[in-house]
């Protein structure tokens, strides 16, 4: 076996995603819609696993965080109080010559509309406007009648739904700071910078957690969450060499933040934000208290002590996290004479945990045993059955979708009821009694895992 190479490019990820049914360009039969993507079968399974691992780490494995699912469309006053109506905008520049629109703060990475080897403004024909602020929120209308309807927004972050429910959760769930509220859900932004696949899209899912703390403890918890979130990406297989923490400079901070650190990943497009961890101070609870008239503060029923908690917020995009896992897992190697592409996904993220493969697809006895095993396993985890075509081709298909274990039913199975368990990464095979396959696969899935790309 040859040494694995880090051969990944964004083009290869886009191509594999389409070929194997992870991600399709949206509205493709109508020519596509920029920055929009649809998720196929394996994309849905992978995305669900990313969300499940996040919820486990944030809610199930902890005593101090509870879950919430708030509406996408909130009262429009929410977005005035949060500062999004006034301040959630990008500075944009138009070119009167090529008619392209650019982020004023990204000119050093954008391409001229006529001469892609140049940056906007670098050719004699470029005719750029002054920057203008462009709000990123999508607006729509609630109500049947145009005249009497109310203008509302599709949420650009899930966080505000958490802040406006602070009182409900703190009193009804009887939580005392430090405690957190976690939410996974869709967010929408009218992003004008297309490209880079699912890195930045018009709609995406966020996994956000607002951790409410006594103000004096905010710095300590901020550092805690930066470390904790970095460890999560590593736990699920992202190479540490491809992750770094970048604290924001003062002039980069969002309007609500007194301190933010990005966890950056070395994407094929360069180091870019994967997740943000922000110290939002008491900005949001104070803003909503002032705008709504409802006091969003912590009051100790026993002592009467009261304070407005500070908020530490780790915020991660599901789709961007999925893209990171795909990129980090992608590998190519030559095995024997053959080249194979393999997704070395953490087994707990892999869309399919095991593939049941009768060696000879036309052998009735093998097929029967394989179907029985498949029917047993599918009650416990996501498995596939495949008897179509040469065994090598079937393995390669499973390698490309990242299935960690191949279970092959062969001649020997018919003699002694054992099955080979093939490991996707090492290609080692072990024989396991058919009745013990479920226990063995469960054991393998629960074990610690480290990407072989770590060397
Ligand atoms: N509540 C804070 C907040 O929304 P953000 O840095 O704007 O902060 C958090 O977004 C995360 O959401 C980002 O780190 C990224 O993973 C993801 N994200 C943001 N905009 C996105 C977009 N247009 N497409 C895909 N993911 C996006």
């Amino acid at each position: 076996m040859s040494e694995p190479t880090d051969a990944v490019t964004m083009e290869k990820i886009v191509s594999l995603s389409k070929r194997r049914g992870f991600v399709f360009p949206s509205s493709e039969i109508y020519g596509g819609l920029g920055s929009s993507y649809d998720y196929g079968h394996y994309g849905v399974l992978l995305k669900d696993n990313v969300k499940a691992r996040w919820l486990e780490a944030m809610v199930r494995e902890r005593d101090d965080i509870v879950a919430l699912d708030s509406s996408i469309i909130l009262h429009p006053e929410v977005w005035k109080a949060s500062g999004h109506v006034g301040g959630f905008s990008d500075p944009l520049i138009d070119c009167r010559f090529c008619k392209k629109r650019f982020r004023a703060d990204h000119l050093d990475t954008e391409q001229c509309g006529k001469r892609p080897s140049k940056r906007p403004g670098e050719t004699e024909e470029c005719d750029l406007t002054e920057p203008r602020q462009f709000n990123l929120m999508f607006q729509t209308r609630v109500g049947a009648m145009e005249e009497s309807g109310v203008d509302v927004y599709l949420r650009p972050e899930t966080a505000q739904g958490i802040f406006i429910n602070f009182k409900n959760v703190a009193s009804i769930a009887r939580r005392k700071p430090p405690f957190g509220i976690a939410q996974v859900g869709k967010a929408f932004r009218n992003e004008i910078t297309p490209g880079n696949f699912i890195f930045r899209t018009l709609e995406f899912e966020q996994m956000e957690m607002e951790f409410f703390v006594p103000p004096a403890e905010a710095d300590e918890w901020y550092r805690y969450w930066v470390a904790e979130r970095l460890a999560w990406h590593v736990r699920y297989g992202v190479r540490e060499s491809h992750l770094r923490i970048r604290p924001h400079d003062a002039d980069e901070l969002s309007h609500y933040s007194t301190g933010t650190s990005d966890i950056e990943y070395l994407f094929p497009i360069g180091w870019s934000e994967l997740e943000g961890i922000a110290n939002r101070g008491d900005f949001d609870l104070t803003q909503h208290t002032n705008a709504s008239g409802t006091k969003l503060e912590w009051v100790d029923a026993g002592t009467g002590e009261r304070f407005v908690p500070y908020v530490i917020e780790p915020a991660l995009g599901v789709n961007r996290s999925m893209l990171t896992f795909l990129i980090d897992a992608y590998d190519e190697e030559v095995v024997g004479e053959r080249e194979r592409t393999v997704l070395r996904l953490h087994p707990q993220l892999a869309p399919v945990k095991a593939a049941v493969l009768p060696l000879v697809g036309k052998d009735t006895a093998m097929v029967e045993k394989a179907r029985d095993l498949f029917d047993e396993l599918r009650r416990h985890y996501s498995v596939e059955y495949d008897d179509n075509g040469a065994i090598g081709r079937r393995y390669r298909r499973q390698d490309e979708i990242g299935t960690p274990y191949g279970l092959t039913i062969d001649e020997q199975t018919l003699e002694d009821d054992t099955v080979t368990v093939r490991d996707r990464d090492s290609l080692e095979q072990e024989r396991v009694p058919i009745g013990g396959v479920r226990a063995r696969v469960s054991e393998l899935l629960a074990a610690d895992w480290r990407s072989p790309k770590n060397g």
Side-chain angles (χ1 to χ4, degrees):
M1 200 187 313
S2 71
E3 281 293 296
T5 53
D6 200 358
V8 65
T9 62
M10 200 66 108
E11 290 71 31
K12 287 182 182 178
I13 296 296
V14 173
S15 159
L16 182 139
S17 297
K18 180 149 190 220
R19 188 167 74 244
R20 292 299 179 199
F22 282 87
V23 183
F24 308 115
S26 185
S27 315
E28 205 179 5
I29 62 168
Y30 287 99
L33 176 68
S35 305
S36 287
Y37 290 88
D38 298 337
Y39 290 77
H41 182 69
Y42 297 125
V44 172
L45 295 180
L46 177 55
K47 211 147 52 84
D48 280 353
N49 290 340
V50 171
K51 290 185 271 188
R53 301 294 82 82
W54 187 87
L55 279 167
E56 256 163 36
M58 285 302 196
V59 180
R60 205 177 80 188
E61 294 174 0
R62 302 185 64 103
D63 297 328
D64 54 1
I65 302 180
V66 293
L68 181 78
D69 183 11
S70 70
S71 301
I72 286 175
I73 298 175
L74 303 174
H75 194 293
E77 292 299 320
V78 170
W79 304 108
K80 286 189 193 152
S82 69
H84 285 81
V85 170
F88 193 57
S89 50
D90 280 342
L92 298 186
I93 284 180
D94 290 300
C95 176
R96 298 186 191 90
F97 181 66
C98 72
K99 310 291 182 217
K100 262 191 83 173
R101 184 166 270 189
F102 307 101
R103 284 264 301 260
D105 50 343
H106 288 178
L107 283 186
D108 53 348
T109 53
E110 304 251 22
Q111 292 176 330
C112 164
K114 290 284 180 200
R115 292 175 57 189
S117 61
K118 297 280 183 194
R119 303 283 173 221
E122 280 185 358
T123 80
E124 282 192 356
E125 288 99 349
C126 294
D127 185 7
L128 304 182
T129 63
E130 287 298 310
R132 280 172 300 175
Q133 291 299 327
F134 175 79
N135 197 291
L136 292 176
M137 283 195 294
F138 283 108
Q139 224 176 351
T140 186
R141 233 172 139 68
V142 172
M145 312 281 283
E146 183 63 23
E147 320 77 63
S148 57
V150 182
D151 284 331
V152 292
Y153 304 96
L154 302 186
R155 66 181 177 197
E157 61 171 16
T158 59
Q160 297 304 322
I162 297 180
F163 297 129
I164 61 174
N165 274 291
F166 173 78
K167 206 172 163 206
N168 288 334
V169 178
S171 55
I172 292 162
R174 287 176 294 117
R175 296 285 162 170
K176 178 181 179 190
F179 79 91
I181 306 177
Q183 167 156 233
V184 178
K186 277 224 165 166
F188 304 80
R189 295 183 189 177
N190 198 354
E191 302 276 8
I192 67 111
T193 318
N196 297 331
F197 195 37
I198 55 173
F199 179 82
R200 183 175 283 110
T201 47
L202 300 179
E203 58 182 278
F204 53 99
E205 284 176 278
Q206 284 188 315
M207 303 183 280
E208 297 199 290
M209 195 277 293
E210 310 302 321
F211 202 70
F212 300 93
V213 302
E217 297 175 19
D219 283 343
E220 188 189 323
W221 281 109
Y222 173 62
R223 286 195 299 276
Y224 168 88
W225 279 111
V226 171
E228 195 72 4
R229 293 304 308 146
L230 180 67
W232 182 86
H233 297 282
V234 174
R235 171 175 169 187
Y236 288 107
V238 181
R239 287 164 297 167
E240 282 173 85
S241 58
H242 282 54
L243 290 166
R244 72 178 187 194
I245 305 287
R246 190 183 69 80
H248 281 204
D249 293 333
D251 60 353
E252 282 180 86
L253 293 175
S254 309
H255 59 273
Y256 50 74
S257 171
T258 52
T260 296
S261 285
D262 285 344
I263 297 176
E264 293 191 331
Y265 177 72
L266 185 53
F267 290 91
I269 52 171
W271 287 102
S272 306
E273 175 184 348
L274 166 60
E275 169 161 9
I277 297 99
N279 179 350
R280 298 181 75 124
D282 60 1
F283 177 84
D284 303 274
L285 293 183
T286 304
Q287 289 290 107
H288 289 304
T289 294
N290 293 342
S292 69
T294 299
K295 274 193 174 169
L296 301 178
E297 60 179 4
W298 160 253
V299 185
D300 188 311
T303 64
E305 178 203 2
R306 58 179 64 214
F307 62 86
V308 180
Y310 275 26
V311 173
I312 310 302
E313 172 198 68
L316 172 63
V318 176
N319 319 67
R320 200 173 288 182
S321 178
M322 168 177 156
L323 176 64
T324 305
F325 286 123
L326 280 175
I327 291 170
D328 212 70
Y330 185 96
D331 212 350
E332 291 170 357
E333 67 180 359
V334 178
V335 182
E337 300 286 280
R338 288 238 172 88
E339 209 172 275
R340 74 164 183 157
T341 298
V342 51
L343 282 186
R344 302 188 190 277
L345 287 168
H346 191 295
Q348 290 173 23
L349 292 177
V352 176
K353 307 303 178 200
V356 183
L357 312 167
L359 185 65
V360 182
K362 291 198 175 75
D363 186 304
T364 327
M366 283 187 204
V367 165
E368 204 173 298
K369 285 227 178 263
R371 294 259 10 153
D372 284 350
L373 179 62
F374 172 60
D375 284 339
E376 183 200 342
L377 297 181
R378 74 192 312 185
R379 288 189 280 131
H380 304 281
Y381 25 71
S382 162
V383 274
E384 274 194 4
Y385 170 85
D386 187 3
D387 61 14
N388 192 3
I391 190 76
R393 216 168 52 97
R394 285 183 265 156
Y395 276 139
R396 274 195 297 286
R397 184 172 167 276
Q398 295 299 332
D399 287 342
E400 283 206 2
I401 62 168
T403 306
Y405 308 111
L407 309 173
T408 312
I409 311 295
D410 55 15
E411 285 294 343
Q412 196 178 326
T413 316
L414 303 182
E415 284 160 23
D416 65 5
D417 259 350
T418 61
V419 171
T420 60
V421 179
R422 169 198 185 258
D423 182 278
R424 172 198 69 201
D425 297 321
S426 66
L427 294 175
E428 276 167 16
Q429 308 212 2
E430 60 173 316
R431 283 206 87 87
V432 175
I434 203 161
V437 170
R438 187 187 136 206
R440 179 65 183 136
V441 173
S442 298
E443 186 186 19
L444 290 168
L445 287 173
D448 282 342
W449 182 89
R450 193 176 145 82
S451 171
K453 287 178 76 179
N454 270 307

